[in-house]
Amino acid sequence: MDVVAENLNFTYSPKTKGLSFRALQNVNLTIKSGEIFGIIGKTGSGKSTFVQHINGLIKVQKGGGALKVGDYDLTDKKCDYKSLRAKVGMMFQYPEHQLFAETVAEDVAFALKNFAKDISAEEISVRVKEALSTVGLDYNEVKDKSPFDLSGGQKRRVAIAGVIVAKPEILVLDEPAAGLDPKGKREFLELLLKLHKDFVKTIIIVSHDMNLVAEYCTRAAVFSGGKIIATGTPKEIFSDRNIIEKSGLDLPLTAALTEKLKSKGIITDSDFTVEDFTEKLVVALKNGGKIR
Amino acid sequence: MRDVSFGSYFPANSFVHKMDARVKILIAIAYMVAVFLVSAFHFLGFAACLLFVMLVAVVSKVPFLRVLKSVRTIIFFVVFSAILQLFFNKKGTVVFWVITDVGLLNAAFIIARIMLIVLGASLLTLTTSPVELADGIEGLLYPLKWIKFPVHEFALIMSIALRFIPTLIDETDRIIKAQKARGADFESGNIFKRAKALIPVLIPLLISSFRRADELADAMDSRCYAGSKNRTKYKKMRLSFRDLTGVLVVAGLIVGIVYLNGFYALNSLAEIAGAL
Amino acid sequence: MPILEVKNVSFSYGQNEKALKGVSFSVEKGEFVAIIGHNGSGKSTLAKLLNGLLKPTGGEVVVDGFSSNDKNAVFEIRKRVGMVFQNPDNQLIASIVEDDIAFGPENLGVPREEIGKRIDFALKAVGMENFRKATPERLSGGQKQRIAIAGVLALKPQILVLDESTAMLDPQGRKEIAAVVENLRKSGVSVIAITHYMDEAVKADKVLVLDRGVVALSGTPKKVFSQKAALDALGLEQPLAGIIADKLRAQGLNIPENIITEEELLGALWTL
């Protein structure tokens, strides 16, 4: 399923003078199936408004342009949002704050029961078990526990299981690593890569962490003042001084180093992942500062 | 959901906006007393009240349409009361079907009374921010301290409630979206089904409120909170000539209504005397 | 003499396993101490012990001569140790900035005129002078958190504890808080920052690593962050500059062992 936005516009409180705010302005973007796509930009640049359009949490406004997700036309009044949301999973910051059920198993099963009314109890328990084991929890140990009795890290895992249990094709994550310690963050990113190999075809990450974007994203779109000011690979985006200045974003460390090395005549041409950057730098230094 | 304007405050820089909130609350109460003072069917008294409301609206720079809008929310209640009067008042002579002349007069009287009271109350909230209102109420309750009423605690609770309403609205919005993303459906089914659908919203909201309360308590303790003992207060309210003007105008209204009531009373006395 | 001393402090919640087991360290005037550790290592418990929100079950915390074991000293301690928490929304109590900042001084019974001066001082210290009459809801996360800091500074504390105060902020907000911390240090206020961000800890004078309730590592950032194996075992990691330096060294470049910042890494590369 590709996500295709054409001339997408959105205004908050369009009718109230003084309060109305144009959050999206003529956004054109195609996210292809299979990508790990970064949505970057400062707070208030329109990132969240855009991604919430993708599963219909925010509806396309009248005359607000076109948005298609696979075969779903989100400008169509008859668009079946429920089946769309089964295919487009979305996880907000601190997902553990949405836990509500009496037991872990029930909470994880919530999405399944909503999306497939006639699903059998056996099927549910199989899927819940699978989802919990994917996030590294032991089904028999936690299934009957109250989600509120778990540790912070376990709660987060249960919440993630509650989203991926529906096996979405597209997974949208808003600041996924917020509040995690370094180890938790590493494990979470590894989980994402595993899901991407497994059944999640497209991952869309909204993040302020440019190191994360440089390391994991295949492409990214830069939002600024409700508009997309650049789309491209991390390499294209982070080597363009104009984009960085216009959007007010930080550079990932590898790109910042590349820039400074260049000013001293050491030219490297990496994709800004740590691995590639160090390899290219070693080669450049061995060749007296130039890439060969 | 960012810009939820709470209540009906209409920000402006007017004579009325700048008045002391305590005085405005007292004037609003006095005005309502005036409306109730108007005795049955003396519509001239209501005209005086309407004049007062219009005067305040003009001076406060709140668009009159905005003031009228406040009546919209209680229109059902008004219509209901009027219908009760129209159909169930058996006094007087029948003018049409079961409707009597007294019923008609009563209905009109009740409509006017309710509308005037709502107009007055909404002018108070239109010209006074919730924070000022809370401060005003605290100021007015202050004398109750002598009978051990916890004025400070009461005021603090109001202030915190006001402060957290927008935060909790944001939070609710966030939780609803997260559950919708997991396929929750809040829009279809009968009333019981919909109520049940709210559980996945209400429980996280409740838990987050407890968490917030916990953290807030820690933050307050950390800032040396220890109840009202030995506490000073930074904000001071001062009375000005505006407040005096307001008091005089509303006093004039009350005197006028009492006078009108008396005038009518005298008139009817004279009529009775003449008939004899 | 240190302004704050944590002496062999232990703590347990009820009958549970101890959250802290014999933690000791001290903080000098104007010193910046970072405390790191994975979730559940006891960091936040430690923070709450520093200003008497929790009482140690063993040992004591001494602030400017006042002991946590002295029941009557708790307000003296809180006056001296200001706390800023993670979620700015949950620490602001008033709907107008100046009213919120006045809350602390009001609690202490500070006279009205003096409260006005303290509001000026606190807003200036966090660079928010123009927001005196503003409504917190309309501010950004970083601005809200600066107001929360101002609310604490109005008590004129000698020590500021930041309990993961940047965790919910965007990079812009984190930069704003870092600038405020830098200013406070210059004015002699000690800062204790509990954080998940290694690049924040790198700027500290001293780093403590907590693990399961004990201080597992401590020392200058250089000393702590150059111990890659130990950090890995504690579920932490080096700052990214250190990781890159290690990779370069592994590929045969002559890069020294204890690099933790971008500047140091560049310095090492120039001297190759």
Side-chain angles (χ1 to χ4, degrees):
Chain A
M1 296 211 304
D2 293 352
V3 177
V4 184
E6 274 168 21
N7 249 324
L8 197 61
N9 281 278
F10 189 83
T11 308
Y12 284 101
S13 326
K15 285 180 193 157
T16 324
K17 243 199 276 170
L19 286 183
S20 93
F21 173 68
R22 273 190 86 180
L24 292 180
Q25 302 186 28
N26 306 328
V27 167
N28 288 295
L29 183 63
T30 302
I31 301 172
K32 287 252 164 63
S33 180
E35 294 197 87
I36 299 183
F37 198 92
I39 303 278
I40 56 184
K42 289 188 131 183
T43 305
S45 59
K47 301 175 302 209
S48 291
T49 307
F50 175 71
V51 295
Q52 289 180 27
H53 271 86
I54 299 175
N55 69 345
L57 285 180
I58 296 180
K59 307 247 159 91
V60 179
Q61 267 169 346
K62 235 189 180 160
L67 178 62
K68 277 194 180 154
V69 178
D71 294 331
Y72 293 88
D73 179 354
L74 280 85
T75 45
D76 184 354
K77 275 214 173 106
K78 285 180 224 129
C79 179
D80 180 359
Y81 288 108
K82 201 172 226 181
S83 83
L84 169 71
R85 285 172 193 156
K87 290 181 181 138
V88 182
M90 186 169 287
M91 214 165 84
F92 293 89
Q93 275 184 60
Y94 300 95
E96 61 272 29
H97 291 178
Q98 282 95 52
L99 299 175
F100 72 96
E102 278 173 62
T103 67
V104 167
E106 251 181 83
D107 209 299
V108 175
F110 182 63
L112 276 185
K113 287 181 186 163
N114 286 330
F115 290 135
K117 293 280 182 212
D118 45 3
I119 190 168
S120 70
E122 295 84 64
E123 172 82 13
I124 289 177
S125 74
V126 168
R127 293 279 289 272
V128 169
K129 194 169 179 174
E130 203 180 348
L132 283 170
S133 93
T134 305
V135 299
L137 289 172
D138 180 31
Y139 175 75
N140 291 317
E141 198 189 311
V142 296
K143 70 171 163 77
D144 295 322
K145 281 194 184 168
S146 160
F148 306 110
D149 288 341
L150 303 175
S151 76
Q154 287 174 318
K155 276 186 201 164
R156 172 74 63 108
R157 284 163 192 265
V158 170
I160 298 169
V163 174
I164 62 171
V165 72
K167 297 209 170 170
E169 281 182 43
I170 299 177
L171 186 56
V172 183
L173 307 140
D174 197 339
E175 280 305 333
L180 292 176
D181 58 26
K183 187 172 167 226
K185 185 173 158 184
R186 209 159 46 226
E187 286 171 354
F188 178 68
L189 291 168
E190 276 161 21
L191 170 66
L192 282 188
L193 293 180
K194 190 172 123 196
L195 290 171
H196 191 236
K197 265 201 207 125
D198 218 352
F199 55 83
V200 179
K201 299 205 176 80
T202 315
I203 294 181
I204 300 172
I205 301 178
V206 180
S207 182
H208 289 300
D209 185 346
M210 294 306 122
N211 291 322
L212 185 155
V213 172
E215 200 64 41
Y216 292 94
C217 292
T218 49
R219 286 198 311 145
V222 184
F223 278 73
S224 174
K227 294 176 188 150
I228 291 184
I229 58 168
T231 314
T233 61
K235 180 174 175 174
E236 287 159 358
I237 289 171
F238 295 126
S239 37
D240 189 336
R241 202 64 240 173
N242 270 334
I243 299 171
I244 297 305
E245 265 158 32
K246 228 167 128 186
S247 61
L249 290 173
D250 293 329
L251 280 176
L253 184 60
T254 46
L257 289 170
T258 301
E259 204 169 79
K260 286 184 181 128
L261 289 165
K262 193 175 161 192
S263 71
K264 297 260 179 166
I266 304 170
I267 314 254
T268 61
D269 180 36
S270 74
D271 60 11
F272 297 142
T273 60
V274 170
E275 201 61 53
D276 194 46
F277 169 75
T278 50
E279 263 171 39
K280 298 272 167 71
L281 178 57
V282 170
V283 173
L285 288 167
K286 279 182 184 153
N287 293 331
K290 294 281 173 303
I291 31 166
R292 198 60 41 97
Chain B
M1 267 297 165
R2 185 154 270 252
D3 279 303
V4 185
S5 66
F6 171 66
S8 55
Y9 182 55
F10 182 86
N13 190 19
S14 80
F15 185 93
V16 183
H17 282 81
K18 281 192 237 159
M19 281 169 70
D20 188 312
R22 292 170 301 177
V23 176
K24 274 193 272 186
I25 295 169
L26 288 179
I27 289 177
I29 294 171
Y31 163 80
M32 286 175 198
V33 170
V35 172
F36 273 105
L37 272 180
V38 175
S39 42
F41 312 151
H42 295 166
F43 287 94
L44 203 55
F46 284 152
C49 293
L50 185 64
L51 200 70
F52 176 80
V53 166
M54 282 166 68
L55 178 78
V56 176
V58 169
V59 175
S60 67
K61 297 180 189 164
V62 180
F64 206 70
L65 213 72
R66 190 70 198 266
V67 185
L68 281 180
K69 258 191 185 167
S70 60
V71 180
R72 225 173 35 182
T73 47
I74 55 125
I75 205 79
F76 174 76
F77 179 66
V78 173
V79 170
F80 183 71
S81 316
I83 287 174
L84 274 185
Q85 284 303 327
L86 278 181
F87 292 100
F88 297 100
N89 198 316
K90 299 286 175 230
K91 283 184 208 152
T93 49
V94 174
V95 269
F96 173 69
W97 192 26
V98 292
I99 298 166
T100 65
D101 54 351
V102 178
L104 264 174
L105 276 172
N106 253 330
F109 190 76
I110 281 174
I111 290 176
R113 186 179 261 178
I114 299 175
M115 301 260 259
L116 280 168
I117 284 181
V118 171
L119 286 176
S122 63
L123 267 174
L124 175 68
T125 54
L126 279 165
T127 61
T128 319
S129 74
V131 178
E132 287 172 320
L133 266 182
D135 285 339
I137 294 170
E138 182 191 4
L140 291 173
L141 291 178
Y142 195 74
L144 293 183
K145 240 176 73 169
W146 299 109
I147 58 161
K148 300 259 157 74
F149 182 81
V151 176
H152 159 74
E153 283 77 5
F154 184 74
L156 191 67
I157 289 168
M158 279 198 298
S159 152
I160 289 173
L162 285 175
R163 156 66 192 81
F164 274 87
I165 284 168
T167 309
L168 290 178
I169 290 175
D170 273 357
E171 172 105 21
T172 311
D173 185 46
R174 219 169 13 243
I175 297 171
I176 287 178
K177 279 182 171 162
Q179 306 298 32
K180 266 191 183 170
R182 291 209 280 163
D185 184 353
F186 304 106
E187 279 130 28
S188 61
N190 59 31
I191 187 142
F192 296 107
K193 231 176 162 183
R194 285 194 204 193
K196 208 181 148 214
L198 283 179
I199 292 175
V201 176
L202 293 178
I203 289 178
L205 190 63
L206 198 71
I207 286 168
S208 104
S209 303
F210 278 122
R211 189 179 54 239
R212 286 181 193 280
D214 229 27
E215 289 179 29
L216 183 69
D218 274 346
M220 286 170 68
D221 277 341
S222 296
R223 283 157 82 182
C224 298
Y225 182 65
S228 56
K229 238 173 79 188
N230 302 326
R231 220 171 170 266
T232 45
K233 194 145 174 50
Y234 173 63
K235 193 176 258 172
K236 235 193 191 133
M237 288 180 278
R238 280 205 194 79
L239 299 178
S240 70
F241 77 97
R242 290 187 205 95
D243 304 308
L244 186 66
T245 317
V247 170
L248 286 179
V249 173
V250 82
L253 177 70
I254 291 180
V255 170
I257 284 169
V258 170
Y259 177 76
L260 277 176
N261 282 346
F263 185 69
Y264 273 109
L266 287 177
N267 244 359
S268 38
L269 267 183
E271 269 171 36
I272 294 164
L276 287 174
Chain C
M1 206 190 119
I3 181 87
L4 178 136
E5 275 181 286
V6 176
K7 296 180 180 170
N8 200 21
V9 161
S10 300
F11 184 83
S12 49
Y13 293 95
Q15 298 300 311
N16 295 338
E17 202 204 342
K18 280 184 177 173
L20 290 177
K21 302 170 220 166
V23 171
S24 297
F25 66 94
S26 63
V27 178
E28 303 292 331
K29 185 177 182 319
E31 196 177 18
F32 178 15
V33 177
I35 300 177
I36 58 176
H38 58 81
N39 287 338
S41 59
K43 299 183 311 268
S44 282
T45 304
L46 178 58
K48 287 181 182 170
L49 285 157
L50 298 178
N51 79 338
L53 286 176
L54 295 174
K55 288 222 173 327
T57 42
E60 66 172 338
V61 177
V62 181
V63 178
D64 198 19
F66 291 95
S67 163
S68 59
N69 291 336
D70 176 359
K71 262 191 174 169
N72 301 317
V74 67
F75 283 96
E76 294 304 326
I77 290 178
R78 284 185 189 161
K79 252 193 263 181
R80 287 164 175 80
V81 184
M83 280 270 256
V84 179
F85 298 89
Q86 191 181 97
N87 189 341
D89 277 330
N90 297 351
Q91 6 185 359
L92 302 176
I93 62 137
S95 308
I96 292 175
V97 165
E98 65 171 355
D99 293 352
D100 187 78
I101 299 173
F103 181 73
E106 284 177 338
N107 290 334
L108 294 181
V110 173
R112 204 177 160 267
E113 292 70 37
E114 169 71 14
I115 295 181
K117 281 182 202 152
R118 287 195 181 196
I119 295 174
D120 291 336
F121 152 79
L123 282 175
K124 198 162 171 234
V126 299
M128 294 282 288
E129 299 96 316
N130 299 330
F131 292 85
R132 197 176 170 131
K133 302 275 182 195
T135 307
E137 293 137 43
R138 295 186 186 246
L139 302 179
S140 72
Q143 288 174 324
K144 280 187 205 171
Q145 200 62 298
R146 275 147 78 195
I147 296 301
I149 294 177
V152 166
L153 292 180
L155 292 156
K156 303 241 167 156
Q158 290 162 311
I159 302 157
L160 184 69
V161 180
L162 302 170
D163 186 0
E164 292 193 40
S165 304
T166 54
M168 298 179 84
L169 303 183
D170 60 9
Q172 172 67 27
R174 286 173 55 205
K175 275 183 216 155
E176 289 168 25
I177 301 303
V180 169
V181 166
E182 202 42 51
N183 274 336
L184 287 175
R185 285 172 76 189
K186 276 184 203 146
S187 64
V189 176
S190 311
V191 178
I192 301 173
I194 290 162
T195 181
H196 279 324
Y197 291 111
M198 300 304 133
D199 51 339
E200 283 174 13
V202 159
K203 293 180 206 143
D205 298 312
K206 188 159 79 190
V207 178
L208 292 183
V209 182
L210 279 190
D211 181 53
R212 277 166 282 174
V214 299
V215 178
L217 292 174
S218 75
T220 59
K222 237 182 190 359
K223 187 181 151 201
V224 169
F225 286 121
S226 52
Q227 303 178 51
K228 186 180 182 307
L231 288 170
D232 276 348
L234 296 169
L236 299 173
E237 62 186 8
Q238 292 176 293
L240 190 51
I243 296 176
I244 292 176
D246 278 356
K247 287 208 187 278
L248 291 173
R249 197 178 319 111
Q251 294 185 49
L253 289 188
N254 184 18
I255 305 268
E257 293 257 341
N258 51 4
I259 279 176
I260 55 172
T261 67
E262 186 186 336
E263 292 72 34
E264 288 168 6
L265 178 56
L266 283 170
L269 287 171
W270 302 154
T271 52
L272 278 178

